[in-house]
PDB file of all heavy atoms in Angstrom:
ATOM      1  N   ILE A 197      85.266 124.320  98.600  1.00 97.00           N
ATOM      2  CA  ILE A 197      84.838 123.601  97.435  1.00 97.00           C
ATOM      3  C   ILE A 197      83.970 124.514  96.527  1.00 97.00           C
ATOM      4  O   ILE A 197      84.137 124.630  95.237  1.00 97.00           O
ATOM      5  CB  ILE A 197      83.979 122.319  97.767  1.00 97.00           C
ATOM      6  CG1 ILE A 197      84.948 121.306  98.422  1.00 97.00           C
ATOM      7  CG2 ILE A 197      83.288 121.795  96.564  1.00 97.00           C
ATOM      8  CD1 ILE A 197      84.314 120.110  98.976  1.00 97.00           C
ATOM      9  N   VAL A 198      83.077 125.325  97.121  1.00 97.00           N
ATOM     10  CA  VAL A 198      82.318 126.337  96.397  1.00 97.00           C
ATOM     11  C   VAL A 198      83.234 127.375  95.766  1.00 97.00           C
ATOM     12  O   VAL A 198      83.039 127.710  94.582  1.00 97.00           O
ATOM     13  CB  VAL A 198      81.342 127.026  97.300  1.00 97.00           C
ATOM     14  CG1 VAL A 198      80.638 128.154  96.707  1.00 97.00           C
ATOM     15  CG2 VAL A 198      80.222 126.016  97.827  1.00 97.00           C
ATOM     16  N   ALA A 199      84.235 127.855  96.480  1.00 97.00           N
ATOM     17  CA  ALA A 199      85.159 128.794  95.915  1.00 97.00           C
ATOM     18  C   ALA A 199      85.938 128.186  94.711  1.00 97.00           C
ATOM     19  O   ALA A 199      86.127 128.855  93.718  1.00 97.00           O
ATOM     20  CB  ALA A 199      86.212 129.304  97.043  1.00 97.00           C
ATOM     21  N   LEU A 200      86.333 126.908  94.863  1.00 97.00           N
ATOM     22  CA  LEU A 200      87.003 126.243  93.644  1.00 97.00           C
ATOM     23  C   LEU A 200      86.070 126.134  92.529  1.00 97.00           C
ATOM     24  O   LEU A 200      86.460 126.437  91.389  1.00 97.00           O
ATOM     25  CB  LEU A 200      87.351 124.836  94.077  1.00 97.00           C
ATOM     26  CG  LEU A 200      88.661 124.665  94.870  1.00 97.00           C
ATOM     27  CD1 LEU A 200      88.728 123.272  95.490  1.00 97.00           C
ATOM     28  CD2 LEU A 200      89.838 124.907  94.047  1.00 97.00           C
ATOM     29  N   PHE A 201      84.802 125.815  92.737  1.00 97.00           N
ATOM     30  CA  PHE A 201      83.869 125.718  91.605  1.00 97.00           C
ATOM     31  C   PHE A 201      83.610 127.098  90.980  1.00 97.00           C
ATOM     32  O   PHE A 201      83.530 127.197  89.737  1.00 97.00           O
ATOM     33  CB  PHE A 201      82.527 125.067  92.107  1.00 97.00           C
ATOM     34  CG  PHE A 201      81.669 124.715  90.938  1.00 97.00           C
ATOM     35  CD1 PHE A 201      81.808 123.539  90.323  1.00 97.00           C
ATOM     36  CD2 PHE A 201      80.613 125.505  90.681  1.00 97.00           C
ATOM     37  CE1 PHE A 201      81.005 123.112  89.238  1.00 97.00           C
ATOM     38  CE2 PHE A 201      79.790 125.159  89.562  1.00 97.00           C
ATOM     39  CZ  PHE A 201      80.016 123.975  88.913  1.00 97.00           C
ATOM     40  N   LYS A 202      83.421 128.136  91.774  1.00 97.00           N
ATOM     41  CA  LYS A 202      83.219 129.455  91.308  1.00 97.00           C
ATOM     42  C   LYS A 202      84.381 130.086  90.535  1.00 97.00           C
ATOM     43  O   LYS A 202      84.165 130.776  89.613  1.00 97.00           O
ATOM     44  CB  LYS A 202      82.791 130.334  92.380  1.00 97.00           C
ATOM     45  CG  LYS A 202      81.304 130.140  92.908  1.00 97.00           C
ATOM     46  CD  LYS A 202      81.010 131.158  93.889  1.00 97.00           C
ATOM     47  CE  LYS A 202      79.596 131.032  94.446  1.00 97.00           C
ATOM     48  NZ  LYS A 202      79.258 131.998  95.485  1.00 97.00           N
ATOM     49  N   ASN A 203      85.637 129.855  91.059  1.00 96.00           N
ATOM     50  CA  ASN A 203      86.778 130.622  90.560  1.00 96.00           C
ATOM     51  C   ASN A 203      87.728 129.873  89.672  1.00 96.00           C
ATOM     52  O   ASN A 203      88.566 130.469  89.093  1.00 96.00           O
ATOM     53  CB  ASN A 203      87.537 131.174  91.811  1.00 96.00           C
ATOM     54  CG  ASN A 203      86.658 132.069  92.661  1.00 96.00           C
ATOM     55  OD1 ASN A 203      85.892 132.968  92.176  1.00 96.00           O
ATOM     56  ND2 ASN A 203      86.623 131.868  93.994  1.00 96.00           N
ATOM     57  N   GLU A 204      87.638 128.532  89.691  1.00 96.00           N
ATOM     58  CA  GLU A 204      88.689 127.785  89.028  1.00 96.00           C
ATOM     59  C   GLU A 204      88.033 126.948  87.881  1.00 96.00           C
ATOM     60  O   GLU A 204      87.359 125.948  88.051  1.00 96.00           O
ATOM     61  CB  GLU A 204      89.407 126.865  89.985  1.00 96.00           C
ATOM     62  CG  GLU A 204      90.161 127.496  91.050  1.00 96.00           C
ATOM     63  CD  GLU A 204      91.309 128.304  90.462  1.00 96.00           C
ATOM     64  OE1 GLU A 204      91.894 127.893  89.452  1.00 96.00           O
ATOM     65  OE2 GLU A 204      91.699 129.346  91.158  1.00 96.00           O
ATOM     66  N   SER A 205      88.257 127.490  86.641  1.00 97.00           N
ATOM     67  CA  SER A 205      87.614 126.698  85.502  1.00 97.00           C
ATOM     68  C   SER A 205      88.143 125.300  85.344  1.00 97.00           C
ATOM     69  O   SER A 205      87.478 124.489  84.945  1.00 97.00           O
ATOM     70  CB  SER A 205      87.852 127.620  84.218  1.00 97.00           C
ATOM     71  OG  SER A 205      89.247 127.753  83.920  1.00 97.00           O
ATOM     72  N   SER A 206      89.496 125.137  85.647  1.00 96.00           N
ATOM     73  CA  SER A 206      90.071 123.837  85.538  1.00 96.00           C
ATOM     74  C   SER A 206      89.396 122.859  86.511  1.00 96.00           C
ATOM     75  O   SER A 206      89.120 121.669  86.113  1.00 96.00           O
ATOM     76  CB  SER A 206      91.593 123.866  85.819  1.00 96.00           C
ATOM     77  OG  SER A 206      91.813 124.439  87.032  1.00 96.00           O
ATOM     78  N   PHE A 207      89.004 123.321  87.709  1.00 97.00           N
ATOM     79  CA  PHE A 207      88.261 122.466  88.691  1.00 97.00           C
ATOM     80  C   PHE A 207      86.912 122.055  88.141  1.00 97.00           C
ATOM     81  O   PHE A 207      86.492 120.960  88.185  1.00 97.00           O
ATOM     82  CB  PHE A 207      88.161 123.082  90.018  1.00 97.00           C
ATOM     83  CG  PHE A 207      87.573 122.283  91.019  1.00 97.00           C
ATOM     84  CD1 PHE A 207      88.309 121.394  91.727  1.00 97.00           C
ATOM     85  CD2 PHE A 207      86.223 122.445  91.387  1.00 97.00           C
ATOM     86  CE1 PHE A 207      87.742 120.581  92.732  1.00 97.00           C
ATOM     87  CE2 PHE A 207      85.607 121.637  92.366  1.00 97.00           C
ATOM     88  CZ  PHE A 207      86.399 120.729  93.107  1.00 97.00           C
ATOM     89  N   ARG A 208      86.236 123.077  87.477  1.00 98.00           N
ATOM     90  CA  ARG A 208      84.869 122.771  86.874  1.00 98.00           C
ATOM     91  C   ARG A 208      85.019 121.815  85.748  1.00 98.00           C
ATOM     92  O   ARG A 208      84.273 120.860  85.744  1.00 98.00           O
ATOM     93  CB  ARG A 208      84.233 124.048  86.400  1.00 98.00           C
ATOM     94  CG  ARG A 208      83.680 124.918  87.502  1.00 98.00           C
ATOM     95  CD  ARG A 208      82.831 126.062  87.021  1.00 98.00           C
ATOM     96  NE  ARG A 208      83.471 126.895  86.001  1.00 98.00           N
ATOM     97  CZ  ARG A 208      84.234 127.965  86.297  1.00 98.00           C
ATOM     98  NH1 ARG A 208      84.398 128.300  87.487  1.00 98.00           N
ATOM     99  NH2 ARG A 208      84.776 128.692  85.325  1.00 98.00           N
ATOM    100  N   ILE A 209      86.043 121.949  84.896  1.00 97.00           N
ATOM    101  CA  ILE A 209      86.202 121.014  83.798  1.00 97.00           C
ATOM    102  C   ILE A 209      86.467 119.595  84.265  1.00 97.00           C
ATOM    103  O   ILE A 209      85.927 118.684  83.769  1.00 97.00           O
ATOM    104  CB  ILE A 209      87.291 121.589  82.840  1.00 97.00           C
ATOM    105  CG1 ILE A 209      86.894 122.835  82.130  1.00 97.00           C
ATOM    106  CG2 ILE A 209      87.740 120.445  81.822  1.00 97.00           C
ATOM    107  CD1 ILE A 209      88.081 123.538  81.524  1.00 97.00           C
ATOM    108  N   GLU A 210      87.332 119.555  85.284  1.00 97.00           N
ATOM    109  CA  GLU A 210      87.716 118.248  85.797  1.00 97.00           C
ATOM    110  C   GLU A 210      86.408 117.599  86.448  1.00 97.00           C
ATOM    111  O   GLU A 210      86.205 116.396  86.261  1.00 97.00           O
ATOM    112  CB  GLU A 210      88.790 118.349  86.868  1.00 97.00           C
ATOM    113  CG  GLU A 210      90.129 118.687  86.298  1.00 97.00           C
ATOM    114  CD  GLU A 210      91.115 119.283  87.172  1.00 97.00           C
ATOM    115  OE1 GLU A 210      90.783 119.520  88.408  1.00 97.00           O
ATOM    116  OE2 GLU A 210      92.240 119.524  86.764  1.00 97.00           O
ATOM    117  N   LEU A 211      85.578 118.414  87.142  1.00 97.00           N
ATOM    118  CA  LEU A 211      84.378 117.835  87.740  1.00 97.00           C
ATOM    119  C   LEU A 211      83.466 117.329  86.677  1.00 97.00           C
ATOM    120  O   LEU A 211      82.803 116.326  86.847  1.00 97.00           O
ATOM    121  CB  LEU A 211      83.597 118.935  88.512  1.00 97.00           C
ATOM    122  CG  LEU A 211      83.895 118.940  90.000  1.00 97.00           C
ATOM    123  CD1 LEU A 211      83.036 120.002  90.669  1.00 97.00           C
ATOM    124  CD2 LEU A 211      83.691 117.659  90.713  1.00 97.00           C
ATOM    125  N   TYR A 212      83.302 118.149  85.557  1.00 97.00           N
ATOM    126  CA  TYR A 212      82.371 117.676  84.488  1.00 97.00           C
ATOM    127  C   TYR A 212      82.905 116.383  83.826  1.00 97.00           C
ATOM    128  O   TYR A 212      82.070 115.669  83.215  1.00 97.00           O
ATOM    129  CB  TYR A 212      82.240 118.778  83.436  1.00 97.00           C
ATOM    130  CG  TYR A 212      81.635 120.025  83.939  1.00 97.00           C
ATOM    131  CD1 TYR A 212      82.080 121.241  83.463  1.00 97.00           C
ATOM    132  CD2 TYR A 212      80.649 120.087  84.891  1.00 97.00           C
ATOM    133  CE1 TYR A 212      81.456 122.462  83.949  1.00 97.00           C
ATOM    134  CE2 TYR A 212      80.061 121.190  85.404  1.00 97.00           C
ATOM    135  CZ  TYR A 212      80.492 122.447  84.918  1.00 97.00           C
ATOM    136  OH  TYR A 212      79.899 123.568  85.334  1.00 97.00           O
ATOM    137  N   ILE A 213      84.137 116.072  83.962  1.00 98.00           N
ATOM    138  CA  ILE A 213      84.692 114.787  83.352  1.00 98.00           C
ATOM    139  C   ILE A 213      84.651 113.748  84.423  1.00 98.00           C
ATOM    140  O   ILE A 213      84.195 112.546  84.155  1.00 98.00           O
ATOM    141  CB  ILE A 213      86.107 115.002  82.840  1.00 98.00           C
ATOM    142  CG1 ILE A 213      86.135 115.945  81.684  1.00 98.00           C
ATOM    143  CG2 ILE A 213      86.699 113.698  82.491  1.00 98.00           C
ATOM    144  CD1 ILE A 213      87.429 116.442  81.234  1.00 98.00           C
ATOM    145  N   ILE A 214      84.936 114.108  85.694  1.00 98.00           N
ATOM    146  CA  ILE A 214      85.072 113.105  86.742  1.00 98.00           C
ATOM    147  C   ILE A 214      83.702 112.461  87.154  1.00 98.00           C
ATOM    148  O   ILE A 214      83.564 111.316  87.434  1.00 98.00           O
ATOM    149  CB  ILE A 214      85.836 113.737  87.908  1.00 98.00           C
ATOM    150  CG1 ILE A 214      87.371 113.756  87.579  1.00 98.00           C
ATOM    151  CG2 ILE A 214      85.692 112.895  89.221  1.00 98.00           C
ATOM    152  CD1 ILE A 214      88.186 114.538  88.477  1.00 98.00           C
ATOM    153  N   ILE A 215      82.707 113.384  87.332  1.00 98.00           N
ATOM    154  CA  ILE A 215      81.338 112.900  87.804  1.00 98.00           C
ATOM    155  C   ILE A 215      80.805 111.859  86.882  1.00 98.00           C
ATOM    156  O   ILE A 215      80.419 110.757  87.324  1.00 98.00           O
ATOM    157  CB  ILE A 215      80.370 114.119  87.995  1.00 98.00           C
ATOM    158  CG1 ILE A 215      80.880 114.871  89.320  1.00 98.00           C
ATOM    159  CG2 ILE A 215      78.976 113.579  88.210  1.00 98.00           C
ATOM    160  CD1 ILE A 215      80.142 116.139  89.536  1.00 98.00           C
ATOM    161  N   PRO A 216      80.780 112.080  85.550  1.00 98.00           N
ATOM    162  CA  PRO A 216      80.299 111.062  84.671  1.00 98.00           C
ATOM    163  C   PRO A 216      81.128 109.724  84.677  1.00 98.00           C
ATOM    164  O   PRO A 216      80.635 108.597  84.592  1.00 98.00           O
ATOM    165  CB  PRO A 216      80.304 111.638  83.202  1.00 98.00           C
ATOM    166  CG  PRO A 216      80.281 113.113  83.506  1.00 98.00           C
ATOM    167  CD  PRO A 216      80.985 113.292  84.785  1.00 98.00           C
ATOM    168  N   ALA A 217      82.499 109.939  84.863  1.00 98.00           N
ATOM    169  CA  ALA A 217      83.372 108.815  84.927  1.00 98.00           C
ATOM    170  C   ALA A 217      83.102 107.929  86.178  1.00 98.00           C
ATOM    171  O   ALA A 217      83.095 106.707  86.088  1.00 98.00           O
ATOM    172  CB  ALA A 217      84.813 109.217  84.959  1.00 98.00           C
ATOM    173  N   ILE A 218      82.790 108.585  87.287  1.00 98.00           N
ATOM    174  CA  ILE A 218      82.487 107.833  88.472  1.00 98.00           C
ATOM    175  C   ILE A 218      81.120 107.057  88.364  1.00 98.00           C
ATOM    176  O   ILE A 218      81.016 105.944  88.652  1.00 98.00           O
ATOM    177  CB  ILE A 218      82.349 108.806  89.761  1.00 98.00           C
ATOM    178  CG1 ILE A 218      83.771 109.299  90.089  1.00 98.00           C
ATOM    179  CG2 ILE A 218      81.725 108.063  90.929  1.00 98.00           C
ATOM    180  CD1 ILE A 218      83.784 110.396  91.193  1.00 98.00           C
ATOM    181  N   ILE A 219      80.193 107.791  87.694  1.00 97.00           N
ATOM    182  CA  ILE A 219      78.886 107.024  87.472  1.00 97.00           C
ATOM    183  C   ILE A 219      79.071 105.895  86.505  1.00 97.00           C
ATOM    184  O   ILE A 219      78.571 104.746  86.718  1.00 97.00           O
ATOM    185  CB  ILE A 219      77.860 108.136  86.863  1.00 97.00           C
ATOM    186  CG1 ILE A 219      77.542 109.159  87.927  1.00 97.00           C
ATOM    187  CG2 ILE A 219      76.623 107.411  86.392  1.00 97.00           C
ATOM    188  CD1 ILE A 219      76.753 110.307  87.386  1.00 97.00           C
ATOM    189  N   PHE A 220      79.942 106.096  85.494  1.00 97.00           N
ATOM    190  CA  PHE A 220      80.224 105.054  84.472  1.00 97.00           C
ATOM    191  C   PHE A 220      80.862 103.826  85.187  1.00 97.00           C
ATOM    192  O   PHE A 220      80.591 102.692  84.918  1.00 97.00           O
ATOM    193  CB  PHE A 220      81.169 105.615  83.478  1.00 97.00           C
ATOM    194  CG  PHE A 220      81.653 104.577  82.416  1.00 97.00           C
ATOM    195  CD1 PHE A 220      80.872 103.928  81.527  1.00 97.00           C
ATOM    196  CD2 PHE A 220      83.039 104.120  82.485  1.00 97.00           C
ATOM    197  CE1 PHE A 220      81.285 102.988  80.623  1.00 97.00           C
ATOM    198  CE2 PHE A 220      83.482 103.167  81.613  1.00 97.00           C
ATOM    199  CZ  PHE A 220      82.659 102.583  80.727  1.00 97.00           C
ATOM    200  N   SER A 221      81.712 104.173  86.188  1.00 97.00           N
ATOM    201  CA  SER A 221      82.479 103.071  86.805  1.00 97.00           C
ATOM    202  C   SER A 221      81.563 102.082  87.609  1.00 97.00           C
ATOM    203  O   SER A 221      81.952 100.959  87.757  1.00 97.00           O
ATOM    204  CB  SER A 221      83.478 103.631  87.793  1.00 97.00           C
ATOM    205  OG  SER A 221      82.910 104.173  88.891  1.00 97.00           O
ATOM    206  N   PHE A 222      80.386 102.532  88.039  1.00 96.00           N
ATOM    207  CA  PHE A 222      79.412 101.633  88.717  1.00 96.00           C
ATOM    208  C   PHE A 222      78.775 100.616  87.762  1.00 96.00           C
ATOM    209  O   PHE A 222      78.289  99.636  88.290  1.00 96.00           O
ATOM    210  CB  PHE A 222      78.297 102.535  89.348  1.00 96.00           C
ATOM    211  CG  PHE A 222      78.745 103.189  90.531  1.00 96.00           C
ATOM    212  CD1 PHE A 222      78.925 104.580  90.532  1.00 96.00           C
ATOM    213  CD2 PHE A 222      78.977 102.527  91.745  1.00 96.00           C
ATOM    214  CE1 PHE A 222      79.319 105.239  91.657  1.00 96.00           C
ATOM    215  CE2 PHE A 222      79.321 103.194  92.858  1.00 96.00           C
ATOM    216  CZ  PHE A 222      79.496 104.586  92.822  1.00 96.00           C
ATOM    217  N   PHE A 223      78.908 100.833  86.459  1.00 96.00           N
ATOM    218  CA  PHE A 223      78.277  99.898  85.545  1.00 96.00           C
ATOM    219  C   PHE A 223      79.350  98.863  85.002  1.00 96.00           C
ATOM    220  O   PHE A 223      79.016  97.981  84.254  1.00 96.00           O
ATOM    221  CB  PHE A 223      77.699 100.673  84.356  1.00 96.00           C
ATOM    222  CG  PHE A 223      76.548 101.510  84.750  1.00 96.00           C
ATOM    223  CD1 PHE A 223      76.638 102.826  84.932  1.00 96.00           C
ATOM    224  CD2 PHE A 223      75.257 100.932  84.866  1.00 96.00           C
ATOM    225  CE1 PHE A 223      75.548 103.592  85.268  1.00 96.00           C
ATOM    226  CE2 PHE A 223      74.132 101.715  85.278  1.00 96.00           C
ATOM    227  CZ  PHE A 223      74.412 103.034  85.469  1.00 96.00           C
ATOM    228  N   LEU A 224      80.557  99.057  85.448  1.00 96.00           N
ATOM    229  CA  LEU A 224      81.676  98.097  85.071  1.00 96.00           C
ATOM    230  C   LEU A 224      81.565  96.864  85.924  1.00 96.00           C
ATOM    231  O   LEU A 224      81.345  96.981  87.101  1.00 96.00           O
ATOM    232  CB  LEU A 224      83.039  98.773  85.046  1.00 96.00           C
ATOM    233  CG  LEU A 224      83.236  99.980  84.199  1.00 96.00           C
ATOM    234  CD1 LEU A 224      84.592 100.614  84.577  1.00 96.00           C
ATOM    235  CD2 LEU A 224      83.126  99.606  82.709  1.00 96.00           C
ATOM    236  N   LYS A 225      81.804  95.703  85.290  1.00 95.00           N
ATOM    237  CA  LYS A 225      81.841  94.472  86.049  1.00 95.00           C
ATOM    238  C   LYS A 225      83.317  94.313  86.561  1.00 95.00           C
ATOM    239  O   LYS A 225      84.069  93.538  85.906  1.00 95.00           O
ATOM    240  CB  LYS A 225      81.419  93.307  85.203  1.00 95.00           C
ATOM    241  CG  LYS A 225      79.932  93.375  84.861  1.00 95.00           C
ATOM    242  CD  LYS A 225      79.528  92.172  84.017  1.00 95.00           C
ATOM    243  CE  LYS A 225      78.149  92.262  83.561  1.00 95.00           C
ATOM    244  NZ  LYS A 225      77.042  92.241  84.540  1.00 95.00           N
ATOM    245  N   ILE A 226      83.652  95.033  87.581  1.00 96.00           N
ATOM    246  CA  ILE A 226      84.968  94.888  88.150  1.00 96.00           C
ATOM    247  C   ILE A 226      84.796  94.670  89.679  1.00 96.00           C
ATOM    248  O   ILE A 226      83.811  94.825  90.267  1.00 96.00           O
ATOM    249  CB  ILE A 226      85.744  96.255  87.913  1.00 96.00           C
ATOM    250  CG1 ILE A 226      84.976  97.398  88.437  1.00 96.00           C
ATOM    251  CG2 ILE A 226      86.050  96.362  86.477  1.00 96.00           C
ATOM    252  CD1 ILE A 226      85.774  98.734  88.315  1.00 96.00           C
ATOM    253  N   SER A 227      85.999  94.355  90.298  1.00 96.00           N
ATOM    254  CA  SER A 227      86.036  94.044  91.698  1.00 96.00           C
ATOM    255  C   SER A 227      85.840  95.367  92.447  1.00 96.00           C
ATOM    256  O   SER A 227      86.033  96.412  91.953  1.00 96.00           O
ATOM    257  CB  SER A 227      87.266  93.405  92.131  1.00 96.00           C
ATOM    258  OG  SER A 227      88.336  94.286  92.080  1.00 96.00           O
ATOM    259  N   PHE A 228      85.503  95.209  93.783  1.00 97.00           N
ATOM    260  CA  PHE A 228      85.405  96.408  94.649  1.00 97.00           C
ATOM    261  C   PHE A 228      86.713  97.127  94.701  1.00 97.00           C
ATOM    262  O   PHE A 228      86.734  98.392  94.685  1.00 97.00           O
ATOM    263  CB  PHE A 228      84.973  96.012  96.031  1.00 97.00           C
ATOM    264  CG  PHE A 228      84.921  97.099  97.030  1.00 97.00           C
ATOM    265  CD1 PHE A 228      83.886  98.039  97.085  1.00 97.00           C
ATOM    266  CD2 PHE A 228      85.880  97.266  97.963  1.00 97.00           C
ATOM    267  CE1 PHE A 228      83.843  99.050  97.867  1.00 97.00           C
ATOM    268  CE2 PHE A 228      85.857  98.299  98.816  1.00 97.00           C
ATOM    269  CZ  PHE A 228      84.848  99.224  98.854  1.00 97.00           C
ATOM    270  N   LEU A 229      87.830  96.386  94.802  1.00 97.00           N
ATOM    271  CA  LEU A 229      89.152  97.054  94.940  1.00 97.00           C
ATOM    272  C   LEU A 229      89.497  97.828  93.615  1.00 97.00           C
ATOM    273  O   LEU A 229      89.973  99.008  93.679  1.00 97.00           O
ATOM    274  CB  LEU A 229      90.190  95.961  95.100  1.00 97.00           C
ATOM    275  CG  LEU A 229      91.623  96.513  95.422  1.00 97.00           C
ATOM    276  CD1 LEU A 229      91.637  97.352  96.707  1.00 97.00           C
ATOM    277  CD2 LEU A 229      92.528  95.380  95.565  1.00 97.00           C
TER     278      LEU A 229
END
Side-chain angles (χ1 to χ4, degrees):
I197 292 171
V198 169
L200 280 166
F201 191 81
K202 284 183 178 177
N203 301 313
E204 297 294 330
S205 61
S206 57
F207 186 80
R208 285 191 304 273
I209 291 167
E210 289 161 356
L211 264 183
Y212 295 147
I213 295 169
I214 287 172
I215 290 173
I218 290 173
I219 293 168
F220 172 72
S221 72
F222 284 106
F223 295 99
L224 298 174
K225 293 183 187 290
I226 55 176
S227 71
F228 176 76
L229 188 60

